[in-house]
Amino acid sequence: MNISSTSTSLFKFQDGESSYNLPKLRRRASIKPAKAYKSFHSPVLAEKPEWWWRTLACVPYLIALQISAAGYYIQPLLEHYACFENLIFFVPGAITRLPMWFTLLYCFFAYGGIVKNKECPHFFRFHLMMGLLLETSLQIVWFISNFFPLIHFGGRLGMYYWAGVGFAYILILLQCVRCALAGGYAHVPFISENAYIHTQFNIGGLQRPW
């Protein structure tokens, strides 16, 4: 009893108030939610571009199909079924491919001479950049997919997978051609935003596209 009385007296002041008080915790500042990223909106054209600009905007997509390996991807499936094997001749780039030096020169002059040239209409520069990015995306899909055992080019499901990739690529290009002929901007997730940013990029700085 003496020990308990002396121990309790250590935590009291002379007036009997307890001196053992828990430290007050500071209130954390309220975490504000991050601002939502503004979604990409294509610029509104005051008037429809001239017909020659709309026709010329389709050329990058045709070149993107010609220099790509989409025809090479769907060829095994078409040859597997005899009734469809002749369709391969109607796919640009399936039988005859453009030489590698043309692809290098085309990407260099298209990006450096037209996409960065502010004197060219933004409508045409956007579709040109879209064609370059779509073909590059197909190459990325090729390299990534070959790491998977079942869907690589020689895998058990490779024939069907790569045929699906090839047909999907052709359908996306056709949709972009339709938008170009209609005088509008194509909307492909992730690629359209990057194409628009590339058209706004300058060596001296970056103009905010949103």
Side-chain angles (χ1 to χ4, degrees):
M1 294 294 293
N2 294 333
I3 296 175
S4 62
S5 61
T6 55
S7 61
T8 54
S9 62
L10 294 176
F11 299 100
K12 294 184 179 180
F13 288 114
Q14 293 179 355
D15 54 357
E17 295 180 356
S18 176
S19 64
Y20 184 73
N21 295 324
L22 294 176
K24 296 182 179 180
L25 297 177
R26 295 181 180 179
R27 292 183 178 180
R28 293 183 179 181
S30 59
I31 300 176
K32 297 180 179 180
K35 295 182 179 180
Y37 177 77
K38 296 181 180 180
S39 60
F40 169 76
H41 297 284
S42 59
V44 179
L45 296 174
E47 58 183 6
K48 185 179 291 187
E50 298 292 340
W51 66 269
W52 58 81
W53 283 119
R54 286 181 284 156
T55 305
L56 196 60
C58 300
V59 176
Y61 299 114
L62 299 178
I63 296 178
L65 181 58
Q66 179 69 34
I67 65 178
S68 68
Y72 178 69
Y73 297 158
I74 66 178
Q75 185 176 1
L77 181 65
L78 296 180
E79 291 180 349
H80 183 72
Y81 299 97
C83 57
F84 298 122
E85 61 182 358
N86 292 328
L87 294 178
I88 194 64
F89 295 98
F90 298 95
V91 180
I95 304 301
T96 57
R97 299 281 299 276
L98 294 174
M100 184 59 67
W101 60 266
F102 174 82
T103 304
L104 297 176
L105 292 179
Y106 168 73
C107 295
F108 178 79
F109 287 106
Y111 186 80
I114 299 178
V115 175
K116 300 302 182 184
N117 189 2
K118 298 293 183 179
E119 297 180 358
C120 296
H122 182 268
F123 171 78
F124 176 66
R125 294 189 291 119
F126 174 83
H127 285 286
L128 179 58
M129 194 66 219
M130 281 286 294
L132 294 174
L133 290 178
L134 285 173
E135 201 278 329
T136 304
S137 301
L138 185 63
Q139 295 184 22
I140 295 175
V141 172
W142 162 263
F143 285 109
I144 294 177
S145 299
N146 278 325
F147 285 99
F148 296 90
L150 294 179
I151 62 175
H152 66 83
F153 201 75
R156 181 179 300 177
L157 304 177
M159 180 177 66
Y160 301 99
Y161 172 78
W162 287 109
V165 171
F167 283 121
Y169 180 74
I170 294 174
L171 291 177
I172 292 174
L173 290 180
L174 291 177
Q175 173 64 16
C176 294
V177 169
R178 187 194 67 81
C179 294
L181 291 175
Y185 289 83
H187 293 275
V188 180
F190 183 73
I191 296 180
S192 297
E193 292 88 340
N194 287 276
Y196 188 76
I197 291 174
H198 275 286
T199 58
Q200 299 295 324
F201 180 77
N202 291 325
I203 297 178
L206 176 65
Q207 301 176 1
R208 291 177 62 88
W210 50 81

